[in-house]
Amino acid sequence: MTDLHTPYMLRCIELARLGAGYVAPNPMVGAVLVYEGRIIGEGYHQQYGQAHAEVNCIKSVIEADRPHISHATLYVSLEPCAHFGKTPPCSDLIIENKIPKVVIGCRDPFEEVNGKGIEKLRKAGIEVTAGVMETECIALNKRFFTFHKHHRPYLILKWAQTANGKIAGVSDERLLISNDYSNRLVQQWRSEEAAILVGTHTAGKDDPTLNNRSGRGVQPVRMILDRNLRLPQTLKIFDQTQRTILFNGMKQEEKGNLVYHQIDTNQNIVQQILDACYQYNIQSILVEGGTQLLQSFINEEKWDEIRTITNESLTIPEGLNAPTHKSNPIKTEKISTDRITYYTNKQTNQ
C-alpha cells in the first residue's frame, strides 16, 4: 500500500520545497489530489500568511474535475492544521469538500495541531493514513521540527578556511578564501535561513552586509554578538534595511529595525542567544563567524550542521585557526578550487 502512496508523497515534497525561503516560520508543505490514479490538483504553501498547500491544491482543480474531488484522495506532506491562525483550518476545508481519504506524511509538532488535525478528520468519517515517507517529510522541515520539539532554532555553523586550516590572516586586511562559485552557494544558504549570526570581530573587520543576494527568499535577520557595544554605527549592519539584533551586556532597547537585546555576559551566552531566538520566533540560524563564536557553539554541542569551505589551493604562513570538532563528514563536493564538506550532529539529529 505504501508503494502506491510513494510517488504522490514524493510530489508533495517536491512541491513543498518551492516554498523554501518564503514561508518561515511556517513549515513547507505540498499537497496533491488524486482521482483514480490521476493527479487532478496540486498546491504548496507559497508565502507566510497566505493560503496553505491544501487550499491551493483544491483551488487548482479545473472545473471539469471538480465533481471528482469528493471521490479523490488528498496527499499532504504535513498534518493539516485544525486551528485558526493567519488562515482558517485546512482540516475544515477538507471536510467541507467531502474528500473521503487523506494520506499524511508526518504529524505537525506545533502544539496547536499535533494530532488534532488527524483526529478532526477521522471524527468526520474521513479515512486517514499517516506516516507515509515520514522520515523524508520530517527532514523537509527539520528547522520547524527542531524549533517546536527542542524550543530552539536549527543551527548551521559555516566557515571558509585555507588549505592549512586558517580562517583569517594576521593583518586587518580581509582574507578572501572561497571562490565566486562557492560564494553564490553561500547566498543560497542565506536565503534558506531565518537569521545570520556573527561576532564583534567579524562584523568590525569585514563590515559585512549579512544579507541574501540570491534573488530569492526574504532577507534574514542580522544578529551580532557585541558584548560591550564596541562596533561603530558607520557599519553596514546599522543601515536599518533589515531587522538587526545586537546581543549585548549593556542595554535593552528597540530603534526601528535595530534591536538591542541585553544578555548576562557572565552566564552561558550561547543558551541566552537560543532562548532569545525562541522568543523572537526565529527558527534557524546560519552562524558565520568568527572562530571564537563558532567554537563556543561546538563546545556547547549546540549545532545541527557544520558546512566548511576549504580552498585547497590557498595556504598562508600565519593566521587565525579555524574552529575544531570531531565529527565525520557525511558529504563532500568540489567547486573549482573549493571543497565543501558537510557534517551533521548525531546527538541533535536523532
Side-chain angles (χ1 to χ4, degrees):
M1 181 65 72
T2 302
D3 288 340
L4 294 175
H5 296 322
T6 300
Y8 303 119
M9 192 58 69
L10 278 171
R11 180 57 180 159
C12 288
I13 293 171
E14 185 178 38
L15 287 165
R17 287 199 181 104
L18 297 175
Y22 296 97
V23 301
N26 282 355
M28 294 176 284
V29 185
V32 172
L33 196 60
V34 179
Y35 173 72
E36 294 186 348
R38 180 170 63 89
I39 293 176
I40 61 172
E42 291 187 337
Y44 68 96
H45 186 29
Q46 299 177 15
Q47 188 83 39
Y48 175 68
Q50 295 183 11
H52 287 188
E54 298 93 326
V55 176
N56 290 329
C57 177
I58 292 169
K59 278 186 177 178
S60 76
V61 179
I62 63 172
E63 197 60 39
D65 282 328
R66 296 202 73 79
H68 301 318
I69 292 176
S70 59
H71 304 283
T73 299
L74 177 69
Y75 290 82
V76 60
S77 56
L78 187 72
E79 176 183 6
C81 59
H83 68 293
F84 281 88
K86 294 280 186 182
T87 60
C90 291
S91 53
D92 287 355
L93 180 70
I94 294 166
I95 294 167
E96 288 166 11
N97 280 272
K98 297 183 172 57
I99 297 172
K101 296 181 181 180
V102 178
V103 179
I104 296 167
C106 61
R107 282 172 60 143
D108 188 331
F110 182 45
E111 62 182 358
E112 293 290 335
V113 186
N114 202 0
K116 297 182 179 71
I118 293 172
E119 181 183 5
K120 191 177 224 182
L121 294 175
R122 284 177 173 159
K123 280 185 175 178
I126 294 170
E127 180 184 327
V128 178
T129 302
V132 174
M133 297 191 69
E134 183 176 42
T135 300
E136 293 83 355
C137 289
I138 291 173
L140 169 71
N141 283 303
K142 56 192 177 185
R143 298 159 181 83
F144 183 79
F145 272 77
T146 296
F147 187 81
H148 288 288
K149 291 179 73 174
H150 302 298
H151 293 179
R152 67 161 176 83
Y154 190 86
L155 299 166
I156 301 172
L157 313 184
K158 165 260 170 185
W159 66 86
Q161 61 188 22
T162 64
N164 59 333
K166 305 297 181 183
I167 199 171
V170 292
S171 71
D172 287 336
E173 186 178 348
R174 185 178 183 184
L175 177 65
L176 300 176
I177 297 175
S178 51
N179 62 43
D180 288 343
Y181 303 104
S182 298
N183 291 338
R184 290 178 200 168
L185 178 61
V186 170
Q187 294 303 318
Q188 179 188 322
W189 293 346
R190 286 183 173 186
S191 76
E192 295 167 350
E193 310 312 328
I196 302 172
L197 172 65
V198 298
T200 312
H201 185 72
T202 300
K205 183 179 179 180
D206 296 346
D207 191 15
T209 54
L210 299 183
N211 61 3
N212 157 29
R213 299 184 291 278
S214 70
R216 69 179 312 278
V218 298
Q219 291 297 343
V221 176
R222 300 186 287 207
M223 301 197 304
I224 301 92
L225 175 59
D226 184 14
R227 291 174 177 83
N228 300 311
L229 295 178
R230 294 189 289 112
L231 294 171
Q233 296 284 315
T234 53
L235 295 177
K236 296 184 181 76
I237 57 169
F238 294 103
D239 64 10
Q240 291 277 350
T241 59
Q242 292 163 242
R243 186 165 173 81
T244 302
I245 301 173
L246 263 71
F247 294 104
N248 72 93
M250 311 291 286
K251 65 178 179 179
Q252 181 82 26
E253 189 178 16
E254 187 164 343
K255 294 180 177 180
N257 264 340
L258 184 59
V259 177
Y260 292 89
H261 185 97
Q262 189 169 5
I263 58 174
D264 185 344
T265 56
N266 295 314
Q267 299 297 321
N268 187 316
I269 289 176
V270 168
Q271 189 59 54
Q272 289 181 80
I273 290 173
L274 300 186
D275 291 343
C277 288
Y278 187 72
Q279 172 190 329
Y280 291 131
N281 205 18
I282 294 172
Q283 292 188 359
S284 64
I285 308 174
L286 184 63
V287 185
E288 293 201 359
T291 294
Q292 184 178 348
L293 183 61
L294 288 160
Q295 193 66 57
S296 66
F297 277 85
I298 294 170
N299 293 345
E300 292 285 339
E301 278 291 336
K302 298 295 187 183
W303 63 277
D304 297 286
E305 295 182 36
I306 290 175
R307 302 173 185 175
T308 62
I309 303 171
T310 305
N311 186 333
E312 297 183 313
S313 67
L314 175 65
T315 59
I316 57 175
E318 292 182 288
L320 186 63
N321 290 330
T324 58
H325 61 97
K326 297 180 180 179
S327 300
N328 295 318
I330 60 162
K331 184 176 75 170
T332 60
E333 60 187 12
K334 279 292 297 271
I335 304 180
S336 184
T337 57
D338 293 346
R339 182 180 77 250
I340 319 292
T341 310
Y342 299 84
Y343 306 83
T344 59
N345 190 339
K346 293 181 180 179
Q347 299 299 317
T348 61
N349 287 280
Q350 290 180 344

